[in-house]
Amino acid sequence: DTGVSQDPRHKITKRGQNVTFRCDPISEHNRLYWYRQTLGQGPEFLTYFQNEAQLEKSRLLSDRFSAERPKGSFSTLEIQRTEQGDSAMYLCASSRLAGGPGTGTQYFGPGTRLTVL
Amino acid sequence: GDSVTQMEGPVTLSEEAFLTINCTYTATGYPSLFWYVQYPGEGLQLLLKATKADDKGSNKGFEATYRKETTSFHLEKGSVQVSDSAVYFCALRTGWGGSNYKLTFGKGTLLTVNP
C-alpha cells in the first residue's frame, strides 16, 4: 500500500473563490471518508463513499460543499464561494469494507490545509 | 449522539516518565475504540485499537484497555521518549456491516516530552 494521498497540501484562497481538493485512497479500499479538523479540535465527519456511492453527509456539509468519487477511485471535495469559516484542515481516509487484515480500519492522508483570506 | 471526552492538554513530561491520557466515551451500541497519533506536520496514524470490552490494544509501548463498565479507554505508556511528542486523539466507531463506520474523535491532547 502506498498510503492515502491528498492534493494540494496547502491552499490559500480569497473569500468567495471556489476550491477543489483531491484524495487518492489506498488501492482497493472500498470506503472513502472526508473529515474536517479545525485548530484545537478533533476531526469531524463530513461525508463518506462506498465505492462511487455517497451514502451519508453530515449536517456540517452545507450546500456550498460537494464531493464526488467517480468510478469509485479518487475523490474530490469542492467548496464554492469560500468563507473564512471554511479555513481548516480537510482530511481524507479510506478503509477496506470486508476481507483481509485491517478491515474497517481507517487510514488517513496528510490533509489539505485551507486558508481563506 | 456519540461523543468522546479526552483529558485536556497540554501535557508536558520528562523523558522516561509515565504517561496517562484519559478518555471516556458515550455511544449507542457497542463501539470500537481507537487511539490515533498526529506527529508534527504529518497526518493521523492509527496507534492502537480495541473492538470489544476488556480488549487491550497495544503498540510501540502504548497500551489502552476497553473498559465498558466505566466507558473508558485510557492511554498509557510506562516510559515516554522525546519522539512520542505529538497530539493524541481518542476516537470511537459505531456501526456494523453495511452501516457507516464514521469515527467520532475527542479534541486531542498535546504531549510534549522534554529530554
Side-chain angles (χ1 to χ4, degrees):
Chain A
D1 289 337
T2 57
V4 178
S5 61
Q6 292 187 246
D7 184 69
R9 294 290 303 275
H10 303 273
K11 179 70 176 179
I12 299 173
T13 190
K14 293 182 179 179
R15 189 177 54 184
Q17 298 296 305
N18 299 344
V19 294
T20 300
F21 311 140
R22 177 180 170 124
C23 170
D24 286 88
I26 294 171
S27 59
E28 300 180 355
H29 275 194
N30 319 84
R31 289 192 166 184
L32 186 149
Y33 295 80
W34 285 99
Y35 292 84
R36 181 171 69 186
Q37 185 180 14
T38 54
L39 198 62
Q41 302 294 316
E44 295 175 291
F45 168 77
L46 292 178
T47 187
Y48 92 104
F49 293 83
Q50 183 168 310
N51 300 314
E52 67 276 9
Q54 186 175 18
L55 296 185
E56 185 173 335
K57 294 191 289 187
S58 162
R59 56 182 170 77
L60 293 176
L61 215 63
S62 75
D63 291 343
R64 298 184 295 105
F65 288 70
S66 62
E68 295 182 342
R69 193 184 182 196
K71 304 179 183 178
S73 55
F74 71 92
S75 175
T76 59
L77 177 67
E78 181 183 16
I79 308 174
Q80 296 182 327
R81 305 181 302 282
T82 52
E83 302 173 356
Q84 288 185 325
D86 297 332
S87 295
M89 177 77 85
Y90 290 84
L91 299 170
C92 177
S94 69
S95 70
R96 189 194 311 269
L97 176 58
T103 294
T105 297
Q106 292 184 29
Y107 296 88
F108 283 80
T112 294
R113 181 169 296 284
L114 173 66
T115 301
V116 181
L117 302 176
Chain B
D2 298 343
S3 67
V4 175
T5 302
Q6 271 184 249
M7 183 170 121
E8 293 277 338
V11 174
T12 303
L13 296 173
S14 298
E15 206 164 25
E16 299 183 0
F18 184 85
L19 169 71
T20 299
I21 301 178
N22 290 339
C23 171
T24 57
Y25 67 89
T26 302
T28 53
Y30 301 96
S32 296
L33 301 173
F34 304 82
W35 278 99
Y36 278 83
V37 59
Q38 190 171 36
Y39 297 102
E42 298 185 16
L44 285 166
Q45 299 176 24
L46 178 65
L47 181 59
L48 53 83
K49 67 178 182 180
T51 57
K52 60 183 187 296
D54 299 326
D55 268 3
K56 177 185 285 188
S58 61
N59 186 26
K60 299 181 182 180
F62 291 88
E63 293 183 338
T65 301
Y66 188 144
R67 300 289 188 198
K68 185 180 175 185
E69 63 276 13
T70 54
T71 62
S72 65
F73 193 54
H74 304 321
L75 182 68
E76 297 182 336
K77 186 174 185 182
S79 176
V80 293
Q81 305 299 312
V82 172
S83 57
D84 293 326
S85 298
V87 181
Y88 291 81
F89 292 94
C90 184
L92 66 81
R93 184 189 74 201
T94 54
W96 300 90
S99 65
N100 187 354
Y101 279 171
K102 69 179 180 183
L103 292 167
T104 300
F105 287 87
K107 291 186 177 182
T109 302
L110 173 63
L111 170 66
T112 302
V113 180
N114 295 317

